[in-house]
Amino acid sequence: MLDIENLSASYGEAQVLRGVSMSAGKGEVVTLCGRNGAGKTTLLRCVMGLLPYTGRVSLDGNDLARKASYQRARLGVGWVPDDRGTYATLTVAESLSLRVSKDGWPLQRVYDAFPNLYARRASAATKLSGGEQQMLALARVLRMGSRLMLCDEPTEGLSPLLVEQVGAILRQAKEHGVTVLLVEQNLHFAATVADKYYLLAEGEVRPTTPDDKELLTYLGV
Amino acid sequence: MKLKWILLPAAIVFALWLPFGLYPAVAVEILCWALFAVSIDLLLGYVGLLSFGHAAFWGASAYATGLIAINWDWPFPLAVLSGAVVATLIAVPVGYLAVKRTGIYFAMVTLAFAQMVYVIANKWSSLTGGENGLQSVPRTITDNFYFYYAALPIVVLGLLLAWRIVHSPFGRVLVAIRDNPSRARALGYPVHRYKLLAFMLSAFLAGLGGGLFAMGHRFVSLDVLHWTTSGKAVIVVVLGGIGTLWGGVLGAAIITRLEDFLSFSGFDQIGLVTGGIFVLAVLLFRAGVWGTLAKIPARLSRR
């Protein structure tokens, strides 16, 4: 499904990622762990085509090098950014009407899964709570029917109940064959959804497990 | 009852009454500037792009419309429409290069292109008349009073087009791009292509206004291409209210009427007054006249 080979990226002279290689199969949830500033978001942005990189990112064997981010989205890559990436002035209903795919979740299913969004459907994104904005960002990607979801800390700042809800959504997506690349610092949450783990440290990545002592020490858990 | 069902008939009555209450030539000028302002607001308010070179499209259409009327004697709506098409065609290369930049760089690129159009029009005097401009643009409806009513449907259609654009799925994508371009890209929208299309539509509306302006005045001077014309249009939009669409219409009415009043009262430093109003608008009511008025019902209902 997703293969990343020898990917390197930098901001100016500061190299953030050094020869990162990892993979995620169809219907797998792959968690990427690492400290703040390790380059997790940078890696997701490279996969989405929002940052230049060297190396190879391929989806179902097709190299995405020459694909702009909007073309990657059309190929089935969905992005749930860490800043929630909502549109400040569009209402919830307007946001959910953007880029809808027949493979995506129908509006009613989204509202059934996120009753808060239904109640706030006429509100602008800036009027939503942090949790509701997170729900909206996730719901937007579900509407697109993405085959690969890049989720950047989707549980950050959410109440335990909402975290559980996000977990349920990701498990549902996984059951439908959607691949999820999950950046997550909350290992307890990751353990409820993930199939594989990678640790990103010093710009390099290696496979790990949630009980890996080195990982726990590194994250200070 | 929704406020719009009161405002809409009021606006229609006001538009129909205008040449009775004002010197008809001023009423025609308000119509032209209303379209120009709405074209700027379409870009500034809904895509977040400040064009400082829209005089190029307004002016190019004015010249094209004037030349068509002089050389081919086409009916004026057709001449104006052709002028708007010329403006749209000029917007393709300008927009293609400009939309790759944002903020001050976008403004500077559009300004630079507009200055190039100004210089070309000045030097190509065999076509444009150079500093003398185009004189005696023919018009079958010679009376400004009747010409106002002939021009009004074109302006209304232009305004409806702008309204339709911002309330369409395309308009929602433009707002999404304005609010968060990288997120819009990640949703699968080719941001530059959308911006270019919005730029062309904006140029078309500016062109409609410019063409009417040429027909309304029956001459075209180089001033239509000057950067101060672009600046005035931006002032009109800021005064009316950015991102309100109808604010541009209101701003055009206020500025045009004010300029007319000042010039008739013998005050020749009109720029001082409009500049002062611009400063006040930015400092005291950033939402502009329309934006500020639109908030009043919500405030009253909260009490």
Side-chain angles (χ1 to χ4, degrees), chain A residues 108-131:
Chain A
Q108 194 52 52
R109 188 175 169 197
V110 167
Y111 284 147
D112 288 344
F114 306 111
N116 278 19
L117 292 185
Y118 179 72
R120 307 293 306 274
R121 64 190 182 282
S123 301
T126 43
K127 307 281 181 198
L128 302 181
S129 70

Side-chain angles (χ1 to χ4, degrees), chain A residues 48 50 69-70 73-74 77 79 81 85-90 94 97-99 137 140-141 144, chain B residues 169 171-173 175-191 193-194:
Chain A
M48 194 66 241
L50 293 165
S69 47
Y70 78 89
R74 289 176 177 190
V77 184
W79 182 41
T86 46
Y87 304 106
T89 49
L90 290 183
E94 285 172 337
S97 70
L98 294 168
R99 181 61 57 189
R140 267 262 16 99
V141 170
M144 287 168 66
Chain B
R172 276 200 290 278
V173 176
V175 173
I177 288 170
R178 180 199 66 189
D179 285 357
N180 199 330
S182 57
R183 183 83 183 103
R185 267 187 209 103
L187 273 187
Y189 293 113
V191 166
R193 219 177 290 167
Y194 271 82

Side-chain angles (χ1 to χ4, degrees), chain B residues 72-190:
Chain B
W72 297 322
D73 201 21
W74 286 4
F76 97 88
L78 202 56
V80 169
L81 191 64
S82 307
V85 170
V86 169
T88 312
L89 291 175
I90 292 173
V92 177
V94 178
Y96 181 79
L97 294 170
V99 299
K100 293 180 179 174
R101 296 285 173 266
T102 54
I104 189 73
Y105 302 103
F106 175 84
M108 289 301 109
V109 171
T110 50
L111 174 63
F113 273 108
Q115 287 300 94
M116 283 164 63
V117 175
Y118 176 85
V119 170
I120 291 169
N122 193 12
K123 298 288 178 196
W124 198 355
S125 53
S126 59
L127 182 76
T128 63
E131 286 185 354
N132 296 324
L134 294 179
Q135 308 286 335
S136 308
V137 175
R139 198 176 79 190
T140 44
I141 307 168
T142 50
D143 191 325
N144 275 330
F145 181 84
Y146 297 109
F147 181 73
Y148 173 89
Y149 290 105
L152 187 61
I154 296 174
V155 174
V156 170
L157 284 176
L159 296 179
L160 282 177
L161 174 66
W163 183 87
R164 189 71 200 97
I165 291 167
V166 301
H167 288 92
S168 67
F170 173 74
R172 276 200 290 278
V173 176
L174 294 183
V175 173
I177 288 170
R178 180 199 66 189
D179 285 357
N180 199 330
S182 57
R183 183 83 183 103
R185 267 187 209 103
L187 273 187
Y189 293 113

Side-chain angles (χ1 to χ4, degrees), chain B residues 51-70:
Chain B
S51 169
F52 219 71
H54 253 45
F57 312 121
W58 157 272
S61 172
Y63 273 104
T65 303
L67 286 168
I68 288 168
I70 290 168

